[in-house]
Amino acid sequence: MDGGRTFLAATVGPVLVALIVLCLAPLGVLLVVSFFRVDFVSIVPDPSLHNYAQVLSSGSYRYLIAKALMSGATIAAITAVIAYPVAFFIAKRIREVKAALLTALLIPLYTGDLVRIFAWRLILGREGVLNSFLIWTGAIDRPIETLLFSPTATTIVLVYNYLPFMVLGLWLSFETLDDHLFEAAADLGAGRTTILLRLVLPLTAPGLVAGALMVFALVVGDFITPQLIGGASGVTVISAIADLFGAAFDWPLGSAIAWTLLVAMVGVVAAVVVILGRTPWGSAAFGRG
């Protein structure tokens, strides 16, 4: 027993230390600094709620935070709709080339964000691949100017960038499903819609929720894609924070915005958990069913 406890302490201890040092400590520093103020080019440790009051009273900051949360929720929903049949097909309809398909799904992630973004700029640009193809086929007479540097372009690229995370989460859930469950449900007279809503969806809910949370958090924290693809609409709360930590040298205000965004994200996730927890498949996802 003592040997087991010693081994557990030896393995868990370093993980906890790394978690505290690499994750919690930086957040703690941001929290402390968010109560300070800036005097010219110096950060003055004068604790107050001035920075948070400025964030909450600013319509611009409130708009950017709401925009980030809405964007994260929208992309999570779109990727879920696309990824669900893709993950089911990979997990249940193929055998020999499953590893190849999963590898192909992950290949874009190996290229880096900038490479993928500039590839999409070549596709969506005024003289890009898509416009050239549409003109060649006679579908349009002149290039479509709004393909690039628009909210639509930003949505397309964000979905492309983060779709693999949703597919992987759902694929793992589908892999654990026993095919005999479908056969048994069909033998008992259940139709496809009933099987989907009362069997498949509750059992794959953990993967769906995990993928949605990953996509939501990644999209909210992404500012490179909106800036390089969205044009004038690409201003985000993350870019505002970066500017405050950079040229403006207002670290306390930047820290306050970052913590406000973090609290808002936690609030959204908590609200979703409460709402979905009241549904049958949501109860299964959160371990209540």
Side-chain angles (χ1 to χ4, degrees):
M1 181 66 69
D2 292 338
R5 290 178 178 176
T6 302
F7 175 77
L8 183 63
T11 53
V12 175
V15 175
L16 292 177
V17 171
L19 177 64
I20 293 173
V21 172
L22 299 178
C23 298
L24 300 182
L27 290 177
V29 171
L30 280 180
L31 180 61
V32 172
V33 173
S34 68
F35 294 104
F36 295 167
R37 64 181 177 86
V38 172
D39 185 8
F40 293 102
V41 292
S42 300
I43 297 178
V44 180
D46 183 16
S48 71
L49 295 174
H50 172 74
N51 294 315
Y52 288 98
Q54 184 175 349
V55 173
L56 296 178
S57 63
S58 171
S60 298
Y61 290 140
R62 294 200 308 269
Y63 167 75
L64 290 177
I65 292 174
K67 175 184 175 182
L69 297 177
M70 182 61 66
S71 177
T74 301
I75 301 302
I78 295 174
T79 54
V81 172
I82 298 174
Y84 211 85
V86 173
F88 175 79
F89 177 78
I90 295 176
K92 296 300 182 182
R93 290 294 181 263
I94 59 174
R95 292 290 183 268
E96 294 79 7
V97 295
K98 182 181 298 187
L101 284 179
L102 290 173
T103 302
L105 182 70
L106 296 176
I107 283 178
L109 299 180
Y110 302 156
T111 60
D113 292 339
L114 288 177
V115 175
R116 295 196 301 271
I117 289 171
F118 281 105
W120 274 104
R121 290 183 63 162
L122 290 175
I123 295 173
L124 300 176
R126 187 180 187 278
E127 307 295 335
V129 175
L130 183 56
N131 268 322
S132 299
F133 175 76
L134 292 176
I135 293 175
W136 177 73
T137 58
I140 57 176
D141 297 328
R142 62 185 64 183
I144 302 175
E145 303 286 349
T146 57
L147 281 179
L148 188 60
F149 303 130
S150 66
T152 301
T154 303
T155 299
I156 292 173
V157 178
L158 286 174
V159 169
Y160 171 80
N161 283 343
Y162 299 115
L163 182 62
F165 296 97
M166 183 68 76
V167 173
L168 287 178
L170 286 169
W171 169 72
L172 290 174
S173 292
F174 277 115
E175 281 288 337
T176 62
L177 289 183
D178 189 350
D179 293 340
H180 293 93
L181 293 175
F182 303 108
E183 299 175 2
D187 291 340
L188 292 174
R192 292 185 177 181
T193 302
T194 302
I195 293 175
L196 173 63
L197 296 179
R198 303 190 63 178
L199 180 64
V200 179
L201 192 56
L203 292 178
T204 57
L208 180 61
V209 171
L213 291 179
M214 275 196 298
V215 173
F216 175 75
L218 290 171
V219 171
V220 170
D222 190 332
F223 77 103
I224 295 180
T225 302
Q227 280 192 325
L228 297 181
I229 296 294
S233 64
V235 179
T236 65
V237 65
I238 304 299
S239 63
I241 294 172
D243 291 339
L244 289 170
F245 274 91
F249 193 72
D250 196 342
W251 292 14
L253 181 57
S255 300
I257 297 175
W259 261 95
T260 303
L261 177 62
L262 179 60
V263 171
M265 291 175 62
V266 172
V268 170
V269 172
V272 171
V273 169
V274 171
I275 295 173
L276 295 184
R278 300 178 184 274
T279 64
W281 71 271
S283 299
F286 303 122
R288 299 173 186 172

